Amino acid sequence: MKKVALLCIVVILFSCQNSAVKDEIATSFYVGTYTDSDSKGIYKYELSKGGKLNQIGLVAETRNPSFLAKSRNGKTLFAVDEANEQGTGFVKSYKIEKDSLTHISTSKSGGAHPCFITVNDENQVLVANYSGGNVGFLEADNFGELSPLLNVQQHEGKGITDRQKAPHAHSTYFHPTKKEIISVDLGTNQLWLSEIDNEKNELVLTHQKTLKMAPGAGPRHLTFHPNNNWIYVLNELNNTVSVVKEKEDMYNIDFSISMLPEQFTGYSKGADIHISKDGKFLYASNRGHDSIVIYKVNAENGSLKLVGFEPVLGRNPRNFSLSSRDKFLLVANQDTNNIVSFKRDEITGKLTFVSEIFAPKPVCILF
């Protein structure tokens, strides 16, 4: 009997240990940075099951990897090199290994200061060049090797503010359900609408060509609602979110809503925008007010209702990201060198502080 009791105790202890290990399983993510001070490149971190943050370390030494993307198979990481060498920046690809990145290739981005990169299921790569005011098009093979630059779509035009004296492409996106590309240009104050001509390997404007935003809006980033019918555009300069809908094969602005409290009179500018996978809540970051604004999404028409604001516990929240299962929201505070994790309430959309960790000049978070 004593042996049986002892065996039961051992089994129970082993089970408890296994449960504890499972509870500590962490999700890794990459952090892109600016390397003009203490940072040396791309870093890897972990988010625990409870939302605590831990740094793994530097995984790739590279200049100004201010935006990151992954191939759909999860084997390759792409990073911009936000620079200006004789009118161009660069795009780099890396093989993703356990706790390191191995450099595969480097290609020109097609314009100065690339600040956004994305890749689709066909390994077509788009990069938005801010100072160049254009979008570069490349391809990658199944091993992550980048092609030379295939095409550049040069934007033209300007807006009404000091930040809009020339084109400034800030982001570019593959439409989730059709062969269309939407590029966001802060300088021309427009969304640029294109398709890829696969025979000529070039970007070709659609029949609509562009969608003008409100004067001085300064569109920066966007996100698609999970129903793929509504697009939410973050306007950096006038601190609004615009809902864009398609009707009779034409995009139109349905309405816009402020990102700031009514009583706030200080300087602020919008940065990033993401929506929960269930489509119920939309989040956007304010630099100056230094907060995440939270909206509830109307399931019938896509309209937004303000839920509230969550202080980011730092300054200049450049980019933020929802964890893979939307349980946490992580913010990269560029000017205070910290990443902060918040637990997300799936019912109310509200955020609760969990953890904070040092990160040198963090500007992009990629799960």
Side-chain angles (χ1 to χ4, degrees):
M1 288 296 293
K2 288 183 178 179
K3 290 183 178 179
V4 172
L6 181 61
L7 180 61
C8 290
I9 292 170
V10 169
V11 169
I12 291 170
L13 288 173
F14 184 74
S15 298
C16 289
Q17 286 176 350
N18 274 351
S19 297
V21 169
K22 288 180 181 178
D23 287 342
E24 291 302 316
I25 290 175
T27 302
S28 63
F29 61 95
Y30 296 95
V31 177
T33 66
Y34 278 127
T35 56
D36 55 354
S37 55
D38 296 331
S39 173
K40 294 185 181 298
I42 302 170
Y43 293 80
K44 190 174 183 181
Y45 286 77
E46 284 182 338
L47 175 71
S48 78
K49 192 173 181 181
K52 292 184 179 180
L53 298 167
N54 175 58
Q55 186 190 70
I56 295 174
L58 179 70
V59 289
E61 190 166 343
T62 181
R63 177 179 56 182
N64 290 340
S66 62
F67 208 87
L68 312 173
K70 275 184 186 178
S71 60
R72 292 297 189 267
N73 63 12
K75 295 181 179 180
T76 307
L77 184 142
F78 300 93
V80 301
D81 175 350
E82 190 173 333
N84 181 4
E85 290 187 9
Q86 298 180 340
T88 189
F90 301 91
V91 179
K92 298 181 179 181
S93 64
Y94 297 87
K95 182 180 179 182
I96 295 175
E97 297 178 305
K98 187 176 181 182
D99 283 332
S100 65
L101 296 174
T102 301
H103 179 256
I104 300 172
S105 62
T106 299
S107 292
K108 292 181 179 179
S109 69
H113 298 119
C115 61
F116 190 98
I117 188 168
T118 186
V119 58
N120 66 4
D121 291 338
E122 299 171 24
N123 281 336
Q124 294 174 316
V125 178
L126 298 174
V127 56
N129 298 299
Y130 181 82
S131 296
N134 55 37
V135 174
F137 171 44
L138 309 89
E139 290 181 333
D141 64 21
N142 291 332
F143 302 100
E145 180 85 23
L146 285 162
S147 71
L149 184 69
L150 298 175
N151 182 239
V152 175
Q153 181 189 71
Q154 183 62 51
H155 296 174
E156 297 179 355
K158 61 182 180 179
I160 64 171
T161 72
D162 289 342
R163 290 276 307 280
Q164 298 178 307
K165 293 180 179 180
H168 293 302
H170 220 309
S171 57
T172 183
Y173 304 83
F174 292 99
H175 194 286
T177 61
K178 56 183 180 178
K179 299 293 185 179
E180 186 176 67
I181 293 159
I182 303 179
S183 300
V184 184
D185 196 301
L186 182 146
T188 68
N189 208 54
Q190 296 167 316
L191 305 186
W192 289 68
L193 310 169
S194 311
E195 296 174 345
I196 295 177
D197 184 327
N198 288 310
E199 291 186 2
K200 296 182 179 179
N201 278 333
E202 63 182 26
L203 300 179
V204 179
L205 292 175
T206 66
H207 67 284
Q208 184 175 351
K209 297 183 180 179
T210 61
L211 173 65
K212 291 184 178 180
M213 307 306 290
R220 177 185 173 97
H221 283 185
L222 62 77
T223 190
F224 296 91
H225 190 278
N227 67 14
N228 298 318
N229 294 323
W230 308 325
I231 300 171
Y232 296 92
V233 180
L234 180 141
N235 299 302
E236 176 180 336
L237 302 184
N238 73 354
N239 299 290
T240 64
V241 173
S242 296
V243 181
V244 173
K245 297 181 180 180
E246 192 174 9
K247 185 178 181 181
E248 297 178 354
D249 207 25
M250 294 286 287
Y251 290 105
N252 296 280
I253 299 172
D254 190 52
F255 74 93
S256 298
I257 186 172
S258 175
M259 294 173 57
L260 297 169
E262 290 183 10
Q263 69 275 17
F264 182 78
T265 58
Y267 176 77
S268 193
K269 53 185 177 179
D272 200 12
I273 186 167
H274 295 284
I275 193 167
S276 58
K277 289 182 178 64
D278 60 14
K280 294 180 179 180
F281 295 97
L282 184 77
Y283 301 86
S285 54
N286 291 307
R287 296 175 293 172
H289 188 252
D290 292 334
S291 65
I292 299 294
V293 57
I294 308 164
Y295 304 101
K296 184 174 178 58
V297 180
N298 185 306
E300 298 297 322
N301 59 20
S303 62
L304 301 175
K305 180 181 179 182
L306 178 66
V307 173
F309 300 88
E310 183 66 33
V312 296
L313 307 179
R315 294 196 308 274
N316 198 5
R318 174 69 175 261
N319 172 257
F320 69 94
S321 183
L322 291 165
S323 63
S324 55
R325 294 185 180 179
D326 282 0
K327 291 186 176 181
F328 300 95
L329 185 149
L330 275 60
V331 183
N333 292 315
Q334 178 180 340
D335 291 353
T336 44
N337 299 311
N338 65 330
I339 296 173
V340 181
S341 71
F342 297 91
K343 185 172 178 58
R344 195 179 76 89
D345 189 309
E346 297 179 5
I347 305 300
T348 66
K350 293 182 178 180
L351 305 173
T352 303
F353 169 76
V354 178
S355 180
E356 176 185 1
I357 196 167
F358 170 81
K361 276 287 185 77
V363 288
C364 181
I365 294 172
L366 176 69
F367 280 96

